[in-house]
Amino acid sequence: MALLDLLQQVPYWQGIPDEALLALAQAAQPIHAPAGKTLFVEGEPCAGWYVVESGVVKICRYSREGREHILALMHPADSFNEVSVLDGGGNPATAVTHTDAVVWRVPREDFRVLSCRYPCLVWGLAQSMAERTRYLVRLVEDLVMRSVKGRLARLLLDQARMNQETQVPRLMTQEEMAAYLGTVREMVGRALRSLAAAGLIEFDRHRIVILDPEGLEREATS
């Protein structure tokens, strides 16, 4: 029942009959993983559909030179790897636990069988893919049209909203922020100091405190 409650919190499963979600829960396998554990690797055969119960999972890709680009951080009730579940291709990215985490995995074949019995599951995944497409469009727009400082302001706001407060836990190092924003560590450090000098944020031990949300929002959209 605890897993059923978790599945009901996944945004695109809203309205899905409990019977379908219960069948999905019965096919799920738990994974208890410490921070830094690789769940699956880009290009390898489909690892299945995943949902986070606790902790944070990092979705990333690597260049030929080994440079990391973080695509997303997945929190409780977030799911990932829908693309390869739908098309049967390899994993489109690598998934690594960013903190100690508990995730649930449904193998692709089990998901395929269940989706034939409950077509609403496929519609749910289609909604998820539409939302991810919108996210990627915004990501491309940010990379092309906004400065590092603006992209960093958006990241801080998003992280604060995720935690429902004005303090952002430093789950990401400056190196990881750079990997998320498509830049280098030095640029992130410079942007953080600039935001602090403008009175928009301040540093408090292991947290970044947002002092002026409206000002940070203006920076993020400028």
Side-chain angles (χ1 to χ4, degrees):
M1 290 304 296
L3 179 54
L4 179 60
D5 291 340
L6 174 65
L7 293 176
Q8 290 170 335
Q9 295 175 43
V10 176
Y12 57 84
W13 292 146
Q14 301 296 318
I16 298 293
D18 285 351
E19 179 186 357
L21 295 183
L22 183 58
L24 191 64
Q26 290 171 340
Q29 306 163 352
I31 300 174
H32 298 258
K37 172 72 173 180
T38 299
L39 299 176
F40 57 76
V41 176
E42 172 189 350
E44 291 186 349
C46 175
W49 178 84
Y50 288 75
V51 62
V52 181
E53 177 180 325
S54 64
V56 180
V57 176
K58 177 174 63 175
I59 308 299
C60 53
R61 297 191 65 157
Y62 297 90
S63 68
R64 290 183 178 178
E65 297 76 25
R67 181 177 175 182
E68 180 186 60
H69 180 68
I70 298 174
L71 299 174
L73 293 176
M74 315 308 291
H75 297 80
D78 287 338
S79 66
F80 52 97
N81 212 40
E82 291 90 347
V83 171
S84 60
V85 169
L86 284 173
D87 69 8
N91 305 314
T94 295
V96 181
T97 53
H98 193 59
T99 65
D100 293 350
V102 177
V103 300
W104 291 81
R105 169 182 175 267
V106 177
R108 181 176 187 266
E109 181 57 24
D110 290 346
F111 204 105
R112 188 191 67 78
V113 170
L114 289 173
S115 64
C116 290
R117 192 186 312 164
Y118 305 105
C120 54
L121 294 177
V122 178
W123 180 249
L125 283 195
Q127 285 186 291
S128 171
M129 292 304 302
E131 292 172 4
R132 295 287 161 81
T133 299
R134 291 181 184 275
Y135 167 78
L136 291 174
V137 167
R138 195 187 83 175
L139 183 62
V140 171
E141 179 186 18
D142 284 348
L143 289 171
V144 172
M145 303 183 65
R146 292 191 169 84
S147 66
V148 171
K149 186 162 66 171
R151 300 202 300 274
L152 178 60
R154 172 58 57 200
L155 173 61
L156 295 178
L157 287 168
D158 287 347
Q159 290 296 302
R161 289 179 184 131
M162 182 68 65
N163 290 279
Q164 298 181 339
E165 54 185 29
T166 58
Q167 293 183 336
V168 182
R170 287 197 179 181
L171 290 176
M172 302 175 75
T173 65
Q174 289 189 22
E175 192 73 37
E176 290 166 332
M177 288 182 179
Y180 189 91
L181 299 173
T183 185
V184 295
R185 182 182 182 278
E186 292 74 15
M187 292 294 292
V188 169
R190 189 180 306 167
L192 283 169
R193 291 191 295 272
S194 178
L195 293 174
L200 302 180
I201 64 171
E202 70 176 8
F203 305 107
D204 178 22
R205 295 185 180 181
H206 299 297
R207 291 177 179 267
I208 297 173
V209 181
I210 297 176
L211 301 175
D212 183 356
E214 292 78 14
L216 202 61
E217 184 68 44
R218 287 193 296 273
E219 189 67 54
T221 56
S222 62

